[in-house]
Amino acid sequence: MLKKSEAIDRLLRENPALGERRFGLPDIGKRIDGDFFNPTVQEIADAIDFYGYEVRDEFITVKKDIDLGGGNPTNFKPFPLSIKRMKESLDTSLMFKYPYTEGDDNIRAILLDYIESLGFRNDVPYSYDDIDSHGLCVHNITFLPSTSIAFNMIINIIAKPGDVILIPGPNYGLFTIRAERAGAEVEILPLEEEDG
């Protein structure tokens, strides 16, 4: 029988960095092919590491609870109408239903109507019972908690080792790194204000 504490100890022995309390931005990670990031992307990765860890750690004992990776919403009082709505929600059964990970079907149906009004169609429908006349259904829509997660999923689906992805600069550096981690090569197109 495996003891939980022994499994945790083994995991920490094999991955000592997991035992460190880290602040700031997430670990950049490595490319799946083990190759180096291109020089421009490496500069971005180094800057994120410096900003997220070295700057943060230097002031950890001087400025307690500072976190350069994001704010802390518990430091702010909630909007009074929000409190009222939360209390009302607690009086209904809605708070006790665990939602689908892809989101509420009613909201997805509204979004489906909207995207179909923009002209989205599926000419090769699959065999679900709830496909509409446009070849789509609510199961084509999934909600995600952030644009970073959506971007990562898209990159993981479309980027293949050896692909070259053009990204304008300046940009959100984590997106640049994610594409290289997927094995693609990133080329940054430097843009100036004059470029519009």
Side-chain angles (χ1 to χ4, degrees), residues 164-186:
V164 176
I165 298 177
L166 302 177
I167 298 181
N171 61 60
Y172 183 50
L174 288 175
F175 288 173
T176 306
I177 293 161
R178 181 62 246 175
E180 286 236 342
R181 283 187 59 203
E185 301 295 325
V186 171

Side-chain angles (χ1 to χ4, degrees), residues 71-77:
N72 184 348
T74 61
N75 290 335
F76 303 92
K77 291 187 176 187

Side-chain angles (χ1 to χ4, degrees), residues 93 143 179 181:
S93 63
F143 292 115
R181 283 187 59 203

Side-chain angles (χ1 to χ4, degrees), residues 37-49 177:
F37 291 132
N38 82 33
T40 307
V41 173
Q42 188 60 56
E43 283 183 34
I44 294 169
D46 293 343
I48 289 171
D49 278 343
I177 293 161

